[in-house]
Amino acid sequence: MNKCRLSMVATGVSAVLLGMTTANADIIDDVEFHGYFRAGYFVSQENDFKKADIGGQKELLGRLGLESDNDGNLTFTTISNIGEDKQLRINVGIGDTEFDDLIGFIEMDGILRTGTLWGGKRKLGEQNYIFMTDFFYTDLDGLGVGVEDYEWGESLIDIAYIVSDRNISEGYDKYEDFVDAALQPGTSVDANLNSNFIFSDADYARIKDNQNNPMHTFHLSYTLGALTLQGNYKYMPDNWGLSAENNQIKEWADTGYDVTAIYHMLDFFGLEGNAFSYAILQAGRGLGSGNLLGGTITDYAALRPGSLTQGYKVNDKNYGSFYGDPYYLITHREEDATSVRALLWGGYTMNNGIGFFPSLQAQYNDEGTNDIGPDAGYNYWVSAMMRNIFPVEDNFIVQTEVGYYENVQNGGHWHQSKFTVAPTFVLSDGLSTAEIRFMATYLPQSWTTGERGSNDTPLKDDFVFGIQADAYW
């Protein structure tokens, strides 16, 4: 990425704190500025060309034509070379939603024998990402400390401790008012839960205390050549929450673990050329299952594909109630709930510039010991998508995307598909890239046009049209 290098004058304050003098401090300061944003607007033909709702899950169908949400972030890094063998990097970044999106962490080289010592608020494993679907299959975000790229023979080791809680999820704040107003001891309340709950003093205290309850995650990663193995152990004390089972509160899993294996190939599953591919296998139990498979408590982990019992879409009149809200349900996992996820994805570009970028994904969830209620049994989803890129002339391409997924829960199933064409102007120097896209998407039986499974308001086909600017540097 492009770097903006600024000459800076050392103040000497840190040198005094370290018992040094500025005259002996060999410091070279640089500043790097990185960022990303997407901004667009989409309209729905079926809705008289009003603003289009999210017409499907982009992580399963592909992102082109479905990203009706705008997003962005900025990151600044100062780099100080201290002596011949030490480097200090201070990273500060912010997103476009709330102050809680602020990222700030420190990296120190030369403190340990090898590797980088870090501490602060950050996201680990951002490279574990499928760009066509915007799917981070690991999402380790929070406050913590760790060591990256510690050399052990021919391998690299990462170790980290991360703490995360619901306060970093903007959608969870609204439940504070719900708890204070509705869950007073002895109160019976419906509150769109389709059930009445009566809470004791102890119940009220448990639910109230759980709003600031952290999850502790211990992370270990091992990389040898093309293979990376990761493991996370998670602990969340007193994980109390509402349960549809028997209309009561309950304590969900307070421990869990997950493991991830990533194999990176410099070919397209054996086909050599201008190509790459990945094979990923993940499995987890307890707090490492469902939407938390490979992740900590974040807004993104709540919304990405996981367990169908934990919600999968917000702002939906049928599935956006308290029990369907993924922000709230992210930690609702049984101790023996288990999940397995498999992903295959990659890309191949021919000599004439035509590119093919497919992704195959699936996740199976065993919900654990529940025998009754909506949390019972099993659920799974499978998806397949393909992005194609067709060069037309310099700086102008036509992109297409097709996608399909099937959801199955306790024998019931539903599906969604999409077809997108996106003429695109693109300009890139190889590190920074900017695109302006014009998109048309066909959504057969779009879930934004009616109630799924209802004879009164059946789903209809929809066309979504939009423009979008997208850039990273």
Side-chain angles (χ1 to χ4, degrees), residues 94-116:
I94 191 167
D96 70 342
T97 52
E98 291 191 345
F99 180 76
D100 282 335
D101 283 328
L102 178 68
I103 292 175
F105 64 97
I106 296 168
E107 296 175 290
M108 299 179 180
D109 290 344
I111 300 297
L112 306 175
R113 182 182 67 84
T114 68
T116 299

Side-chain angles (χ1 to χ4, degrees), residues 273-292:
N274 186 5
F276 68 94
S277 56
Y278 288 84
I280 301 104
L281 182 63
Q282 299 177 280
R285 187 175 180 88
L287 286 175
S289 67
N291 287 44
L292 284 172

Side-chain angles (χ1 to χ4, degrees), residues 95 165 229 239 275 314 324 347 410 455:
D165 58 45
L229 301 176
N239 183 19
V314 293
N410 294 339
N455 293 325

Side-chain angles (χ1 to χ4, degrees), residues 110-127:
I111 300 297
L112 306 175
R113 182 182 67 84
T114 68
T116 299
L117 176 67
W118 67 268
K121 185 180 186 299
R122 66 175 301 183
K123 180 176 181 177
L124 292 179
E126 289 187 278
Q127 70 274 15

Side-chain angles (χ1 to χ4, degrees), residues 103-174:
I103 292 175
F105 64 97
I106 296 168
E107 296 175 290
M108 299 179 180
D109 290 344
I111 300 297
L112 306 175
R113 182 182 67 84
T114 68
T116 299
L117 176 67
W118 67 268
K121 185 180 186 299
R122 66 175 301 183
K123 180 176 181 177
L124 292 179
E126 289 187 278
Q127 70 274 15
N128 300 331
Y129 166 73
I130 303 175
F131 75 89
M132 305 94 68
T133 61
D134 203 29
F135 190 1
F136 290 88
Y137 46 89
T138 67
D139 184 45
L140 299 170
D141 194 348
L143 286 159
V145 63
V147 177
E148 281 190 316
D149 295 335
Y150 188 88
E151 296 179 6
W152 185 30
E154 299 296 322
S155 63
L156 296 175
I157 303 293
D158 295 348
I159 301 174
Y161 162 74
I162 300 173
V163 61
S164 58
D165 58 45
R166 291 184 181 87
N167 284 345
I168 65 175
S169 292
E170 58 177 304
Y172 193 81
D173 294 340
K174 61 185 178 183

Side-chain angles (χ1 to χ4, degrees), residues 10 22 24 37 49 68 94 97 137 141 150 166 191 195 210 249 277 280 300 341-342 351 371 424 443-444 451 458 468:
T22 56
N24 294 328
F37 82 88
F49 294 97
S68 58
I94 191 167
T97 52
Y137 46 89
D141 194 348
Y150 188 88
R166 291 184 181 87
S195 301
N210 192 40
I249 72 163
S277 56
I280 301 104
Y300 180 79
R341 180 191 296 150
N351 293 334
D371 296 324
T424 303
L443 294 169
E451 297 182 27
Q468 185 181 55

Side-chain angles (χ1 to χ4, degrees), residues 50 127 160 211-212 315-316 353 370 374 423 429:
K50 297 177 183 177
Q127 70 274 15
Q211 291 180 90
N212 196 32
N315 299 326
D316 185 290
N370 281 348
D429 62 2

